[in-house]
Amino acid sequence: ITFEEGSCLEGIGQLAFDHCTSLETFDMPNTVTTIAGQVFGNCSSLKYAHLSDNLTSMGGATFWECTSMVEGEIPGGVSSIRNAFVNCTALKRLKLGSKDSAPGTTLIKNVGITGCDQLERIELGANIDSLENLALMDLQNVKVFICWASTPPRCNDHWSCFSPSTDRLTAPLY
């Protein structure tokens, strides 16, 4: 799905593309600032979705069981990332924010990333402020972990941020 140039779309409602099993790519116009929950849930053929650079609000379970998605990205203006990438079994690269994002504006919480067994690279932008409630799970295959924040994200203890344990996270942290 690609929108016409000049689109005035500002938001996308809950479950808008849920179970669209033939959807392979999605290019969101930069006019969109809000998307509701589970917009792309169970889109089993979705390989890539470009989200609006102006996105500030995103409901939970955005990419729930998008089993063909190889690369995921969430722009730096989003304030909360909840259950964003769950059971995205082909996901290899994940970028949450950017190194140029405003520092300390985003929270990853409530199992933000889990069940992504092929995940090899995670990049956290300068905007990532804190990790809560098992924010990142099942990271045993991650080979590269980059954090662009000059002050690392807050985390009460490793159990509240990582699961099953940081002991399994053997990737170098850059």
Side-chain angles (χ1 to χ4, degrees), residues 132-143:
E132 294 179 5
N133 301 337
L134 302 172
L136 306 170
M137 293 181 64
D138 306 322
L139 302 179
Q140 57 267 21
N141 293 320
V142 173
K143 293 176 177 60

Side-chain angles (χ1 to χ4, degrees), residues 143-158:
K143 293 176 177 60
V144 176
F145 199 114
I146 299 171
C147 180
W148 289 106
S150 57
T151 301
R154 287 186 316 269
C155 180
N156 292 339
D157 63 71
H158 75 276

